[in-house]
Amino acid sequence: MPAKRQNGKTAMEEVMSGATERVLKQITELYENGLGGGPGSIGLKAIAESPLLGLQMRKPRKKISIMIVGNHSAGKSSFINWYIGEAIQKTGVAIETRGFTFVTSGKKRETLQGDATVRFYDNLQEFGKFTGVLSNLFTEISTSRDKNFSCVDLIDTPGLVDGEMQYPFNVQDAILWMADHVDLILIFFDPIGQATCKRTMEVVERLNNGPHLEKIHYFMSKADAVDKEHDRQRVLIQITQNLATKIRNSHAFNLPTFYLPRDDDVPCTIPNAIEDVCKEIDKAINMTVQKNLRQLKGDCERIELRIDEVREQDKARRATNVQRTMQGLLLTLLTLAAAAFMSLLAVARFVDTLCSDALLGHHCRDNKLTAALHRVQPLVVEHSTPLFGAAAGVVLVLMIITKLTWRTQPTLGKKDHKKLEDYRAYVRKIAEQEEGLYKEYFKTLSSMEH
């Protein structure tokens, strides 16, 4: 006898989803607010991006993102309503979804439109730049606790149709952009609509040409809409044949069929793989927990390596500064020597001036002194001027080289080194949390096995 369901899930599912949600939130909390979470605490991201370290770090999300793609009658909105246990999305045969709607869990039922959605999801800044997207972008916040909805953001995409249907934005490019920012892509084909319409097939082909193979899963929805088995098989073959030329891993292609559980008591013998859809979601959640835990460990190691690198760089700068100081002192001495030589040349010029006839006649009445100065004068006149110019040039060059050589690089002070050591000790404490989070996660897996 199955376990009694509360709020749309069994007591075991409640425990597992709660534990998974806690692990994801605690990981994100370590990035945002660190260990204490108080006013004085600092998160891993703030440490990494501090001026001392200068690392760029992306914090992991608390939830996984799942994008659902398909033609206009593929049952995307109906599946979301069923999964969260609330009729939050409009459904019907008409084209209800012409934009992107994010469906997420929260404490209060609310609807956010374009600008508010972009601010709510900080990774959507670039997406909001698509012409026409903002007026067709919504977020529906539900208080539902069904299944693993608390760990999931569901993205309902525009229904794809052929013909003269005009979208307010480039729908294919928008879906491709979103594919780069989600963890799981579910593609629905229905047996009675335009499952193999050109637009759908083009989107599938473009998704397969990108790095998305591991996160794409295909399903045929509304399997109960076709009563006869051979008709369902015919539709499956038709969809499979159309997809074979569009997908890269066609040899491993699988197209499970599902339909939403009926409210009536009429038995249905059609195989229903809707639990497989839920299992893919649960698998993506578990993989995200593991990925986030690996990222936490890896980012702590990155910060420690960066601390070592910063300290080594500072050590190298200090050694370079010492070398430059010694070179600067040597160049300064050479500059002083050249300046002294210039002074001697200036004295020589002064002597040349003294040897002029006007001064000799006025100051020097001793004939012997006059004869001696006359013998020195030609030598001074011949060599002093070019030597003085050369010496002046050497002094100028030496002054410039000295100034350039004596430019020291900034180094870390004692407070900076203390802060680096504090960062290291703090990051190691954060890294120690990984083991506890893994244990909590493994308890969840053990509960699933039992």
Side-chain angles (χ1 to χ4, degrees), residues 10 16 20 46 71 104 113 135 165 185 202 209 248 254 275 277 283 324 345 351-352 356 359 369 374 396:
T10 65
M16 289 188 295
T20 303
N71 58 293
T104 189
Q113 298 192 1
S135 57
M165 170 68 180
I185 302 171
E202 286 177 350
N209 289 331
R248 286 160 55 187
N254 186 30
E275 287 302 322
V277 186
K283 181 180 176 181
R324 288 185 174 183
L345 292 175
V351 170
D352 178 46
S356 65
L359 288 177
L369 177 61
H374 271 293
L396 180 62

Side-chain angles (χ1 to χ4, degrees), residues 125-145:
Q125 296 296 327
E126 292 299 319
F127 187 68
K129 295 179 182 178
F130 276 84
T131 302
V133 158
L134 277 181
S135 57
N136 293 277
L137 181 62
F138 307 92
T139 296
E140 298 291 348
I141 302 175
S142 168
T143 59
S144 169
R145 301 289 299 177

Side-chain angles (χ1 to χ4, degrees), residues 382-410:
E382 181 181 356
H383 299 290
S384 65
T385 301
L387 285 175
F388 187 85
V394 169
V395 169
L396 180 62
V397 170
L398 285 173
M399 289 178 64
I400 294 172
I401 295 175
T402 302
K403 185 175 181 180
L404 292 174
T405 301
W406 220 325
R407 284 183 179 175
T408 57
Q409 300 176 6

Side-chain angles (χ1 to χ4, degrees), residues 172-281:
Q172 292 190 30
D173 287 350
I175 290 175
L176 264 292
W177 186 96
M178 192 64 70
D180 292 331
H181 298 80
V182 300
D183 303 287
L184 186 66
I185 302 171
L186 303 178
I187 300 181
F188 289 176
F189 302 95
D190 77 293
I192 56 175
Q194 294 184 339
T196 58
C197 75
K198 182 180 178 182
R199 268 200 175 102
T200 303
M201 290 299 150
E202 286 177 350
V203 167
V204 169
E205 185 172 18
R206 292 182 66 181
L207 287 171
N208 272 269
N209 289 331
H212 311 301
L213 287 182
E214 296 298 323
K215 54 187 177 184
I216 301 177
H217 297 274
Y218 306 90
F219 294 93
M220 190 180 84
S221 59
K222 297 185 176 181
D224 59 337
V226 180
D227 295 329
K228 297 180 179 179
E229 178 64 23
H230 71 273
D231 289 336
R232 283 196 304 277
Q233 293 301 322
R234 178 179 54 81
V235 174
L236 278 171
I237 292 171
Q238 180 186 4
I239 295 173
T240 303
Q241 287 176 342
N242 277 274
L243 286 173
T245 59
K246 308 294 182 184
I247 60 180
R248 286 160 55 187
N249 57 343
S250 58
H251 63 282
F253 179 72
N254 186 30
L255 188 65
T257 62
F258 78 90
Y259 56 91
L260 300 182
R262 298 177 177 180
D263 294 331
D264 54 40
D265 295 328
V266 178
C268 185
T269 58
I270 300 171
N272 191 0
I274 195 166
E275 287 302 322
D276 291 346
V277 186
C278 296
K279 285 178 181 177
E280 291 297 342
I281 294 175

Side-chain angles (χ1 to χ4, degrees), residues 52 311 314 318 411-422:
L52 275 176
R311 300 192 72 172
D314 183 66
R318 287 178 181 274
T411 57
L412 302 180
K414 290 184 179 180
K415 288 185 178 180
D416 293 327
H417 281 285
K418 177 66 167 57
K419 185 173 286 188
L420 287 175
E421 284 307 307
D422 290 343

Side-chain angles (χ1 to χ4, degrees), residues 9-29:
K9 52 187 171 185
T10 65
M12 180 60 69
E13 289 172 339
E14 181 77 37
V15 171
M16 289 188 295
S17 64
T20 303
E21 183 181 3
R22 281 196 306 276
V23 171
L24 288 171
K25 285 185 176 180
Q26 286 174 36
I27 295 171
T28 305
E29 186 70 16

